[in-house]
Amino acid sequence: MFTCSMTETTDIRILFVPNEPKAGVLFNSALDGITHTLEIVDDVKQGLFLHHEHPFDIIFVDYRPDQANGVDTTKMFLEDGPDCRLFILTPPGTKTSITSQLPASVESFDISGDASASRRLLPGLIRLTKDLIASDRYAKILENKINELETVHQQAEMLADIGIWEWDEVDDKMLWCSEQHARIHGVSHDEYMASVTSVEADTEWVHPDDREYYLSETMRAYHDAEELDLEYRVLKRDGKTVYVREVSKPIIDDTGTVVRTIGTFQDITSLKLTEIEMRRAHNSLEAKVLERTAQLEKARDAAEAANQTKSQFLSTINHELRTPLTSIKGCLGLLNGLVSDEFSDTGRELLDMARRNADSLHVLINDLLDYEKNALGKLDIVLSPHNIIKLLQNVIEDSHGYAETFSVSFVLLGNTSPLWVELNEIRFGQVMLNLLSNAAKFSPPGTTVDISVFEKNNTVKVSVRDHGIGISTEHQNRVFEHFIQLDSSDSRHQGGTGLGLAITKSLVEKMHGTISVESKPAAGSTFTVSFPRIADDKISSEP
Ligand code: ADP
């Protein structure tokens, strides 16, 4: 075996199977100047073995027409390395006798044994083959790259659910489309392509309700040679509907004619369904808001009407009830003062009862009117400096009779030296009367209601403490609300409107004071009102 390797980088492997040893020498000398690796084997078997181990790029078989197995040998090489080029070298003039027995890819040259012909032909043949092999390799690399790109492209199309298509405007048919484009229609690529042979056939894929719109828009874009961005529904082969978005662009030739249109095609069903769902939710929300607004307006109208009625009712109370009641109270007072001696015991009792009831009615009506005034912001109070001790003494004296009714006594404790506060005398009296009458109402007979006054940090505090049924902690927070009566059972049922403490609180606050309660059930309650004290040096003289 003969191995010859050129010093340069060898990039082509050549096998020569000579017919006789001197043919190898001749062959080798003909390859002078070519970068190559050459194996010259002694027999065919050895050549086959080497080719099997490491395939050659070119195999030259030196062949004699009189050798019976020559053709079979060549075929064996072909089978073992299908990518390699096989050349047969025959003696001059014998070429045609074997070409018919071999595949067309195997070329033969009748230069065997002809040194000058070999030198003329072989270098060129090998260079050409080298180039062919290189370009084959390059083509293979390109093909692989193209395949890779194609795969990436297809995956991208599938991921984005986007198909691509091109319409032939001249022949009015689909020129080509991507696999994904056909898949969105629910058919294979071949089926789809077979179905789009005209605009009419293409429109068959569009949902019947969208066809008119689809046709008019695509025609307009074609005539105006404009880009188009369209959403419509497609009927898939299985009858299901999908929403698609189609974006297209015309391709115009040198004469200004639209020859083709290319476009993308995207399945936007899930996006569209979410949009529809959101629109539905929005509409139903809007309907609910409208309905609720109407209800609120109705409720507001009803409340306004009720308010109107209430105002009319209160003004009726004022004119029709308070005025005669004042006169009744006056008459009862006169009757009591002037002619009570002439009554029998029963008559006097009846007179007392009438006076008590008239008094309660008077308080109730005044409470209602105050409540209304306060609600309307019309409860105006004029304040001036007062010695609170003196005002308290007056109130206690005036309500002496009331305390007796419940067999309790009001006792003023603590400090009696003047303490000056900005107050409204009448309203302060009303506040105290309410606290005292509550204390009396809810106290057991024979107990005292202690009223104490003290001053701390320039704040004057007046507390009214009873030893009555008390108020639970939970209810203490609510006693100052309007129309609150804590218990309607007999033990508490002492009359009243549930307005007294609410009005009291408003009045105290209007006089820049605060009110609070401390109580324990069955251990009595203490209501405390606090006002800012006026320093003595600011008071010129007691009024
Ligand atoms: P009313 O005019 O009905 O007495 P008030 O607003 O003055 O209304 O009082 C509200 C409720 O607070 C009363 O119905 C009563 O249940 C409770 N309450 C007020 N003061 C006392 C008190 N000193 N002891 C126990 N409960 C009281």
Side-chain angles (χ1 to χ4, degrees), residues 273-287:
L273 291 181
T274 314
E275 191 184 306
I276 290 171
E277 200 42 56
M278 273 172 69
R279 199 175 308 131
R280 197 174 296 147
H282 173 81
N283 289 345
S284 102
L285 199 72
E286 211 164 58

Side-chain angles (χ1 to χ4, degrees), residues 231-497:
E231 282 181 16
Y232 59 93
R233 284 165 295 172
V234 157
L235 272 182
K236 288 173 68 160
R237 177 57 53 81
D238 60 6
K240 284 191 183 138
T241 303
V242 284
Y243 286 85
V244 295
R245 180 182 177 198
E246 189 168 85
V247 181
S248 64
K249 184 182 163 73
I251 295 174
I252 303 162
D253 71 3
D254 298 342
T255 65
T257 311
V258 177
V259 284
R260 294 195 312 281
T261 303
I262 56 164
T264 59
F265 190 79
Q266 188 181 10
D267 185 339
I268 55 164
T269 308
S270 56
L271 205 77
K272 207 73 192 166
L273 291 181
T274 314
E275 191 184 306
I276 290 171
E277 200 42 56
M278 273 172 69
R279 199 175 308 131
R280 197 174 296 147
H282 173 81
N283 289 345
S284 102
L285 199 72
E286 211 164 58
K288 274 197 187 127
V289 169
L290 284 177
E291 187 189 333
R292 201 78 191 97
T293 309
Q295 280 173 356
L296 285 174
E297 276 172 2
K298 215 165 149 188
R300 188 200 58 204
D301 291 350
E304 270 173 12
N307 205 27
Q308 190 76 17
T309 314
K310 186 188 74 180
S311 297
Q312 274 167 9
F313 172 69
L314 288 170
S315 109
T316 310
I317 288 180
N318 195 16
H319 293 105
E320 310 295 330
L321 227 67
R322 195 157 74 154
T323 318
L325 185 65
T326 312
S327 127
I328 290 170
K329 272 180 51 125
C331 294
L332 287 173
L334 281 176
L335 218 61
N336 188 44
L338 296 176
V339 288
S340 66
D341 293 349
E342 293 168 27
F343 287 140
S344 64
D345 285 349
T346 319
R348 207 169 295 115
E349 268 175 31
L350 285 173
L351 182 64
D352 278 348
M353 198 194 292
R355 285 180 58 205
R356 273 201 310 276
N357 280 323
D359 283 344
S360 328
L361 209 56
H362 196 233
V363 169
L364 191 148
I365 290 169
N366 282 343
D367 276 358
L368 276 176
L369 293 171
D370 280 348
Y371 161 71
E372 174 66 1
K373 268 195 204 159
N374 193 35
L376 295 172
K378 289 181 182 167
L379 192 64
D380 296 326
I381 291 179
V382 180
L383 303 180
S384 54
H386 287 278
N387 175 1
I388 201 166
I389 302 288
K390 197 169 173 200
L391 295 188
L392 274 172
Q393 285 165 341
N394 292 345
V395 176
I396 291 169
E397 204 177 307
D398 290 350
S399 44
H400 185 65
Y402 189 82
E404 269 184 356
T405 328
F406 292 93
S407 307
V408 295
S409 43
F410 296 146
V411 183
L412 180 62
L413 304 169
N415 175 39
T416 51
S417 39
L419 281 171
W420 291 88
V421 176
E422 282 263 307
L423 292 170
N424 178 293
E425 185 176 352
I426 308 252
R427 294 304 188 177
F428 178 72
Q430 194 178 336
V431 165
M432 291 315 299
L433 260 181
N434 191 34
L435 295 181
L436 291 176
S437 65
N438 275 348
K441 275 198 290 188
F442 298 110
S443 288
T447 57
T448 59
V449 172
D450 307 323
I451 301 119
S452 40
V453 192
F454 54 97
E455 186 263 332
K456 198 177 173 192
N457 299 334
N458 286 329
T459 300
V460 178
K461 292 181 180 277
V462 181
S463 60
V464 177
R465 176 171 181 239
D466 65 54
H467 303 86
I469 58 173
I471 307 167
S472 68
T473 319
E474 156 203 5
H475 286 135
Q476 283 168 33
N477 301 324
R478 303 195 56 212
V479 288
F480 298 108
E481 291 173 23
H482 292 116
F483 301 108
I484 284 295
Q485 288 189 307
L486 302 182
D487 197 336
S488 56
S489 67
D490 283 344
S491 63
R492 285 190 175 268
H493 203 80
Q494 300 289 352
T497 53

Side-chain angles (χ1 to χ4, degrees), residues 33-53:
I34 299 171
T35 308
H36 68 282
T37 300
L38 173 65
E39 298 279 4
I40 299 176
V41 289
D42 298 335
D43 61 37
V44 170
K45 268 190 201 146
Q46 199 184 1
L48 275 169
F49 173 76
L50 289 177
H51 187 49
H52 187 73
E53 289 289 296

